[in-house]
Structures are given as structure tokens and as C-alpha cells.
Amino acid sequence: MQETLVQIEPKPPSGDWRDPQVEFHKGAMCYSAAAKNLTYLGLPNPRTWQPYDADWKLPPDWKNIILAGMKDRLAKYRSFRLFMDICVRCGACADKCQFYLGSADPKNMPVARAELIRSVYRRYFTLTGRIFRSLAGGRELTEDVIKEWYSYFYQCTECRRCSVFCPYGIDTAEITMIGRELLNLIGCNTNWVLEPAANCFRTGNHLGIQPHGFKDSIDFAADEASEITGLDIQVPINRKGAEILFVMPSADYFATPHYYTLLSYLMLFKEIGLDYTVSAYASEGGNFGFFSSHEMMKRLNAKIYDEAKRLGVKWILGGECGHMWRVLHQYMDTMNGPADFLEVPVSPFTGTVFENARSTKMVHICEFTADLIHHGKLKLDPRRNDHWNVTFHDSCNPARGMGLLEEPRYILNHVSRNFHEMPENTIREQTFCCGSGAGLGSDENLETRLRGGFPRANAVKYVKQKYGVNLLTCICAIDKATLPTLLQYWVPGVEVGGVHELLGNALVMTGEKERTTDLRGEPLATEEAPVAAESEAAHA
Ligand code: SF4
Ligand code: SF4
């Protein structure tokens, strides 16, 4: 199948590109949202349908709903109106999207993706478009256009890579967000987005794990961390009056390799004596509402802040997660903030004031840990990670959404002796997406994911061949869930893990028993480092 996926041929569409030509086939599309999930969330037009059906059972006045929705959002979001007006079609973004690079489908060029909705804007919301219609670049809003929106706005992971290269700062991710929001108004949503959102709304987390199940999972992890270290590690749940509320993505307590990161958090908090609590109500850092609409994102994010208020904590610490951080840094303050009832975060161990979290009152675990290391508060033995040759994937949202570029590298350079960067144009602000973010991480659209993830996998292959890299680290729950499949397909032999997993391996805890295995139960290397294929310094 690899041969089939790499055989791509860029070619312009036959006929007028504005004629919607969309074809849904199994393996490359997400299924529609189950009616029950729309009902749970109070969303319009719950029904049974699939994208490959001829009749999508749209509401009779669907066209008016969409145009009214566009009018409303053009007035409400200045960025949306601006992005509709200012694109000069320079093409700088055209080859920057991993979905275009992996599929060669011209409509996966960011400029063309935006044009799908911009052409409708031009037709109905500009004077020239109303008079001259297609001659002014406008197109009629038809059911086929809606189908095209559904196809291409769910082939965009809202990663914002294209925006880095646009001289006008046009953020196609924001256009995709509006496109999906409009589709929501007429009941066109995917189940992979809405089921986690509905579960989160009802029980606090994506899988719908009830509070007693949450407690069981956390207690299980605490027992395992105790067994590994020989120390008594306990985790407070819903404890009022704790200094800090710790929020993590739910995958940390039900999936691997995320779980190894959770073990490390518990060990770190034990070692430094952190006064913290986790919460069975705010038991999800991830926010699938973000992939559906601004309103849904706001509803789910509010739970974290409501819980911080109820428990009376001073500030919030957040785990390795992707879009949780983009929601926090780009939207929280105007959606649910300002969180004036919380204090500006200060590390109780170093006195560092986290000025960047002055409005959100929420600190990223990498910022917190890097600060501890910087102040010499942790004893680390990087030799314990000598069995890993490590590289780092900048997860799109912490990297481009909040500028968290240095802290993960600072940690990695202190817990590993074999850290190697991927090529410059594939990391930091220019990082390639995993291809499965923004609700694309299901199995039913694997072909799309493998295509979209190809540029990332290709960069991993480069460092595997050059340095013998066998571990791709990252700080996003979606990455940890989806990159293993991507790498098994394109670069077998490279595992995926969290940055804090390596921290947990290297952390020498006070009074711990001699450790013989890493957090995965694999034999721990403590002798001289095995030689990497070639050292990075040698190539500097
Ligand atoms: S780079 Fe910006 S201005 Fe140029 S085509 Fe892309 S979105 Fe339009
Ligand atoms: S936001 Fe990312 S996935 Fe979407 S068009 Fe831009 S580069 Fe492609």
C-alpha cells in the first residue's frame, strides 16, 4: 500500500475549479456524528446519515441558515472578515500544508481551502459579487458546496503551519474553524469530534469515564509508581484548599504511551512535595469542542476554571497536551476569563513568577519542570535513558499556538545524552503536523492521516537513518495516540513517548529503591551510553 500512497501527481482539476467535485470513500473520510451526540449537546438536526449518502437530509432552510451564520460571524470575528478580503493569491502558502504535500490534491492548498468559503463570501457579501456573480469570483451556495466544505475542512488539522508563511498573516486554521462551525449549524459534524465532546460535557472526559473510574485509574497509576520507586506515592483527588489544580489530558490515565508520562508526573510531584490535587470533574485537559465551534470550546474549557474556583486553588498546572494549550493561550481569556479569582502562578520551589501565565493562571508542565531543573532542584541521571536515541516533534499547538519551543528541549538535554534534532524546516514554528489533529485521529480515515503525516514521518526517517533515532518524543496527547500508527507505517522501529517519560526515568528520587527498569518495564541502561549512529556534535 505504501507504493499507492506515494504515487501522487499534482495536476489541476479538469474544468472550472469552482465546480464542486467531491467524492467520499471509506478509509479517507470520517463518519457523521451519531444523532444521540447532537442531542446531548443540544445541536441542530440530529439524524442518521453518512457523507457518502446522496441525500444528507439537510434542514429545508439550510441555505438561509448558512448565510445568516456567515453574516453573524463576519460581524463578530474581525479576523474572519479580514481573511476573506486580504488574500492576494501569492501562493506562498500553497506547498506548506502537509495534506497537500501528501495528497497533491490542489484543494488541499491552504489558499484553495480558504477559497472554498471565500467564493461564497464574495457572491453573497460583496457588491461586485452580488452584481457580477461568477465573473467576480463568486459562486452559488449549493448542497455540493456544503459537501465540499465537509470534505476539505475535515482534511485540515487547524495546525497553522500555512500561516507562518503567509506574508499577510492569514490563518487558514481560523477559516477552517468557521467552516466547521457553519456546518454544525445544519447538523453536519463528525462523530470523532462530537462523541468526545459529548462525553466530556456529560462526565468530564473524552471516554466518558465516571468519577469512580477516574479514581480507580489514578489509584492504579499511584500504586505502580510506588512499586517502581519503592516509595509511598498517593494522589489527592478533589482536595479543597490545595495550592495547585493539576489537569491532564484523559489519555494519560487510559492509554499508552501517555500513561508513562503520568507515572512520571506522580513521581515528580512526590519528589518535590507539591501541594496539589487532581479533579474528577475537570478530568480532561483536551477540548474537542475546539474542533466543532467557539461556543462548544467555551463550554468545555469553563469546567477547568469552575473547578479551580470550587476547590479554592491558587493556580493551575497543565500536563502534556496539544490543543488544551492553544485554547488556553489564544481564546481562554476572552471566552471564560479573566480568571481574577486565581493568583499569578509562582513556583513554590524556585520563586519564579510565571509572567506569561498572568492572565490564564495556568502553567505548562514543561515550563514548570524546566524551571526546577534550571534552579538545580532535581537530581537527574540521564544515563538511564541511554537505550533511547531521541528526537523531538514540536506539537503544533504548544509550538505555534503558545511558543513553547525551548523548554521541552531544555528538559530533553538534561535527561538524555542522545538528543538529535530533525531538519530545521520541519521543527519549531515550521513543525509538520502529525496529520491527525483537530479530530482527524480516527481509524476510519487512516488513508488521509497517513498522507497528511507523511512529511513528519519523512523527517523522522532522516534522523533514524542519520543518528539511529529510535524514540520520537512529543508533548501532545493526540500525537502520542496517532504517531505510533504513522511511524509503524512509514518508519518502523521508532517508538513514541512523552518528554516527561524520560524525565521520570532519569529522576533520582530521595530514598528510592534501585531501579532496574524504565517506566515501560524495559531494562534500564546505566553504563556508558551506546554510541549513536553519528553524534549531532560531529555534524554541527
Ligand atoms: S500566502 Fe497568504 S496571501 Fe498568499 S495565497 Fe496564501 S493565504 Fe493568500
Ligand atoms: S492549518 Fe495546517 S492543515 Fe490547515 S490548511 Fe493550514 S497547513 Fe494545512
Side-chain angles (χ1 to χ4, degrees):
M1 180 158 170
Q2 270 199 11
E3 288 77 25
T4 318
L5 283 195
V6 292
Q7 304 239 328
I8 53 171
E9 199 181 324
K11 57 176 181 206
S14 53
D16 190 332
W17 75 270
R18 285 171 298 189
D19 293 339
Q21 300 165 5
V22 59
E23 195 188 299
F24 292 99
H25 68 268
K26 290 182 183 177
M29 49 151 252
C30 286
Y31 293 131
S32 65
K36 66 172 186 186
N37 292 321
L38 275 75
T39 305
Y40 288 143
L41 292 165
L43 295 178
N45 202 18
R47 68 208 184 282
T48 303
W49 69 287
Q50 285 302 343
Y52 46 74
D53 293 343
D55 180 5
W56 279 24
K57 302 177 189 168
L58 301 180
D61 57 344
W62 68 267
K63 192 167 171 177
N64 290 336
I65 294 172
I66 293 286
L67 292 176
M70 275 185 82
K71 186 177 176 196
D72 184 37
R73 283 155 186 79
L74 285 165
K76 195 168 165 190
Y77 301 109
R78 276 185 301 174
S79 56
F80 180 42
R81 179 173 279 279
L82 198 66
F83 296 161
M84 289 297 98
D85 281 330
I86 64 171
C87 174
V88 293
R89 298 188 192 80
C90 67
C93 63
D95 60 350
K96 304 304 186 297
C97 174
Q98 49 276 330
F99 288 95
Y100 172 66
L101 293 174
S103 69
D105 181 340
K107 287 188 179 170
N108 268 329
M109 292 179 186
V111 56
R113 197 186 311 283
E115 205 61 29
L116 300 176
I117 202 164
R118 193 178 279 125
S119 53
V120 175
Y121 162 76
R122 240 182 251 120
R123 160 66 184 86
Y124 294 93
F125 295 94
T126 66
L127 184 61
T128 48
R130 280 197 291 263
I131 297 169
F132 297 111
R133 304 197 173 197
S134 65
L135 291 176
R139 69 174 174 168
E140 301 298 319
L141 181 59
T142 64
E143 278 199 37
D144 283 343
V145 168
I146 293 295
K147 291 179 179 179
E148 202 178 42
W149 284 8
Y150 186 94
S151 172
Y152 288 100
F153 292 137
Y154 285 96
Q155 288 182 70
C156 166
T157 47
E158 302 176 1
C159 77
R160 306 179 72 227
R161 187 172 197 269
C162 49
S163 72
V164 173
F165 299 90
C166 174
Y168 290 86
I170 293 174
D171 186 348
T172 306
E174 295 260 345
I175 297 171
T176 291
M177 286 165 67
I178 296 287
R180 290 188 185 191
E181 193 163 310
L182 293 171
L183 289 167
N184 262 272
L185 297 177
I186 53 173
C188 297
N189 351 59
T190 71
N191 204 52
W192 196 254
V193 170
L194 279 204
E195 183 134 331
N199 286 343
C200 205
F201 190 60
R202 287 179 304 131
T203 64
N205 50 71
H206 292 160
L207 274 199
I209 296 170
Q210 304 281 347
H212 53 280
F214 173 76
K215 182 175 181 333
D216 278 354
S217 304
I218 297 296
D219 286 348
F220 184 85
D223 286 348
E224 188 155 2
S226 301
E227 201 173 303
I228 291 167
T229 61
L231 301 168
D232 179 22
I233 296 179
Q234 301 199 6
V235 184
I237 300 176
N238 300 343
R239 183 165 69 86
K240 284 192 173 177
E243 183 175 358
I244 291 163
L245 168 64
F246 179 63
V247 178
M248 64 196 131
S250 59
D252 283 4
Y253 55 87
F254 69 70
T256 55
H258 315 61
Y259 179 69
Y260 311 122
T261 303
L262 169 60
L263 294 178
S264 171
Y265 297 150
L266 304 188
M267 291 157 58
L268 174 67
F269 298 161
K270 166 75 176 175
E271 175 61 12
I272 59 177
L274 189 69
D275 178 10
Y276 79 107
T277 185
V278 296
S279 159
Y281 178 71
S283 54
E284 180 64 76
N287 185 334
F288 269 54
F290 181 40
F291 310 144
S292 162
S293 70
H294 289 83
E295 182 55 30
M296 197 65 67
M297 163 170 51
K298 180 178 172 178
R299 279 160 78 177
L300 299 185
N301 173 260
K303 296 179 70 135
I304 296 175
Y305 284 85
D306 285 350
E307 188 63 340
K309 194 174 212 170
R310 187 182 78 83
L311 295 173
V313 300
K314 288 184 182 169
W315 54 276
I316 308 168
L317 182 63
E320 293 185 4
C321 186
H323 57 280
M324 167 166 87
W325 290 102
R326 176 133 151 244
V327 171
L328 255 296
H329 275 256
Q330 290 193 287
Y331 305 105
M332 194 301 284
D333 210 26
T334 47
M335 278 184 330
N336 293 318
D340 290 341
F341 57 92
L342 296 173
E343 296 180 13
V344 176
V346 178
S347 170
F349 308 103
T350 66
T352 297
V353 180
F354 293 99
E355 290 289 348
N356 56 318
R358 183 167 281 279
S359 69
T360 62
K361 314 293 195 300
M362 190 156 172
V363 174
H364 194 290
I365 187 72
C366 283
E367 296 170 308
F368 183 72
T369 303
D371 178 62
L372 289 170
I373 296 173
H374 181 66
H375 285 89
K377 300 292 181 189
L378 303 179
K379 190 173 173 193
L380 300 169
D381 182 355
R383 292 176 306 164
R384 290 178 175 178
N385 284 312
D386 277 354
H387 52 310
W388 293 122
N389 282 333
V390 183
T391 192
F392 177 64
H393 160 66
D394 289 273
S395 305
C396 300
N397 289 308
R400 279 190 286 267
M402 70 179 287
L404 194 84
L405 305 172
E406 302 307 330
E407 290 86 345
R409 291 177 165 82
Y410 186 80
I411 297 170
L412 286 171
N413 277 313
H414 283 82
V415 300
S416 163
R417 301 197 292 178
N418 304 305
F419 172 55
H420 309 279
E421 292 278 18
M422 286 183 274
E424 210 179 317
N425 61 345
T426 73
I427 58 172
R428 297 179 180 264
E429 288 93 343
Q430 297 187 42
T431 186
F432 276 115
C433 180
C434 63
S436 301
L440 268 65
S442 79
D443 288 343
E444 64 222 29
N445 63 337
L446 195 55
E447 181 185 327
T448 301
R449 286 175 51 195
L450 293 174
R451 287 186 186 284
F454 175 70
R456 167 44 75 223
N458 207 27
V460 175
K461 189 172 183 181
Y462 175 82
V463 283
K464 180 180 185 238
Q465 290 175 344
K466 189 165 185 180
Y467 305 117
V469 159
N470 60 0
L471 183 72
L472 175 66
T473 54
C474 54
I475 51 171
C476 165
I478 289 178
D479 285 340
K480 288 174 198 162
T482 62
L483 284 170
T485 307
L486 184 80
L487 298 187
Q488 275 160 24
Y489 187 80
W490 292 115
V491 202
V494 180
E495 303 284 323
V496 176
V499 166
H500 274 78
E501 178 186 339
L502 299 194
L503 184 279
N505 285 341
L507 184 66
V508 181
M509 296 178 68
T510 311
E512 71 176 11
K513 72 179 187 187
E514 189 186 348
R515 281 204 243 161
T516 52
T517 64
D518 66 7
L519 299 186
R520 299 184 179 206
E522 299 295 325
L524 205 56
T526 52
E527 300 303 320
E528 285 303 302
V531 181
E534 289 178 69
S535 82
E536 192 169 27
H539 290 269

